[in-house]
Amino acid sequence: GAVVSQHPSWVICKSGTSVKIECRSLDFQATTMFWYRQFPKQSLMLMATSNEGSKATYEQGVEKDKFLINHASLTLSTLTVTSAHPEDSSFYICSAKKDAQNEQYFGPGTRLTVT
Amino acid sequence: GDSVTQMEGPVTLSEEAFLTINCTYTATGYPSLFWYVQYPGEGLQLLLKATKADDKGSNKGFEATYRKETTSFHLEKGSVQVSDSAVYFCALQAGTALIFGKGTTLSVSS
C-alpha cells in the first residue's frame, strides 16, 4: 500500500498564532513530499516541494517565511503557518512520492480556519 | 503556463447512466495526464493515467484517452453507480509538479 496521513484533520486558531500540520507516509519512504492549498471550488495549487534533508522549494508567490516547511525524516514533513490570518484559512493537502516512482500519494487534507 | 480546464459541476446522474466529464489542457511539450478521485472525507486517489498520445487509461470501468490533436483527456464510464459519487480532478504533470483542474462533483442517485 501507499498511505499518507495528515494531522490534524481540522484546526481552528486565532489570528496571529502559528499552527503546524503534519504529513506522514505510513508504509513507505518519501524523499519528496508536496504541499498543496485548495480554496472552495478551486483546484489544488502547489505551494512547495519538500525534500528530506534540504530546503523546500517554494512556488512563485508563496511566502517562505510564512509557510515554513520541514522535512526532517523520510516519513514526515511539516507545514507551519506562522502568524496566521483569516486569509490563510483554507484546505491544505500533502502528497508523498515513493522513491524511484513518479506517482504521488495524497493525504486526506487539513482544514484550517483562522478566526 | 500549463493549465487544465475541466467542466464545471455538479453533475447529477441516475444509476446506470453514461458519464462524461470533459477535460482539456494547455501545455508545452508532452505531459502525462491523470484523473484523480476524492471520495468524501478521503484523500485524492489516482483513478487512471496516460503518459503519451493515444494512450487509454482505464480503471474501475472508467476510461480516458490522451488526445493530442484536441488536447483533451475526457473521463467516461458506461454505467455509473451510487458509489461513484465523488469529486473528480483532471491533472497534468510536466516534470515533478502536478497541475490540477478545479474538480467536478459527481452525484449519482439510485
Side-chain angles (χ1 to χ4, degrees), chain B residues 36 45 73:
Chain B
Y36 284 86
Q45 301 173 25
F73 193 55

Side-chain angles (χ1 to χ4, degrees), chain A residues 13-113:
Chain A
C13 71
K14 291 187 176 181
S15 187
T17 62
S18 297
V19 61
K20 180 184 286 188
I21 302 169
E22 294 184 347
C23 176
R24 293 182 185 272
S25 55
L26 297 185
D27 51 2
F28 65 98
Q29 292 185 334
T31 302
T32 304
M33 293 184 174
F34 304 87
W35 286 97
Y36 296 84
R37 184 173 179 176
Q38 184 181 25
F39 292 101
K41 299 186 178 181
Q42 299 290 321
S43 60
L44 282 74
M45 301 298 295
L46 179 65
M47 299 175 65
T49 302
S50 169
N51 300 293
E52 188 267 336
S54 65
K55 291 183 179 180
T57 304
Y58 290 81
E59 295 299 302
Q60 192 172 7
V62 177
E63 299 176 61
K64 61 182 67 176
D65 294 331
K66 181 169 188 61
F67 298 100
L68 301 179
I69 291 172
N70 187 307
H71 193 155
S73 78
L74 287 172
T75 59
L76 173 65
S77 175
T78 59
L79 169 68
T80 302
V81 183
T82 63
S83 187
H85 289 95
E87 57 266 29
D88 299 323
S89 298
S90 191
F91 196 55
Y92 293 88
I93 301 173
C94 75
S95 70
K97 189 173 82 70
K98 277 187 178 180
D99 292 345
Q101 289 187 19
N102 218 17
E103 185 172 340
Q104 294 182 30
Y105 299 90
F106 286 81
T110 297
R111 172 75 60 193
L112 169 64
T113 301

Side-chain angles (χ1 to χ4, degrees), chain B residues 32-98:
Chain B
S32 294
L33 300 175
F34 304 82
W35 278 101
Y36 284 86
V37 59
Q38 186 175 30
Y39 298 103
E42 299 182 16
L44 273 73
Q45 301 173 25
L46 179 63
L47 181 60
L48 53 84
K49 67 179 181 182
T51 58
K52 62 182 187 296
D54 299 325
D55 267 2
K56 177 186 282 189
S58 61
N59 185 25
K60 300 181 181 179
F62 291 89
E63 293 183 340
T65 301
Y66 191 142
R67 301 286 189 199
K68 181 169 174 290
E69 63 277 11
T70 54
T71 62
S72 65
F73 193 55
H74 304 321
L75 181 68
E76 296 182 337
K77 186 174 186 181
S79 176
V80 293
Q81 305 299 312
V82 173
S83 57
D84 294 326
S85 299
V87 182
Y88 293 81
F89 292 90
C90 184
L92 69 82
Q93 183 174 28
T96 306
L98 280 168

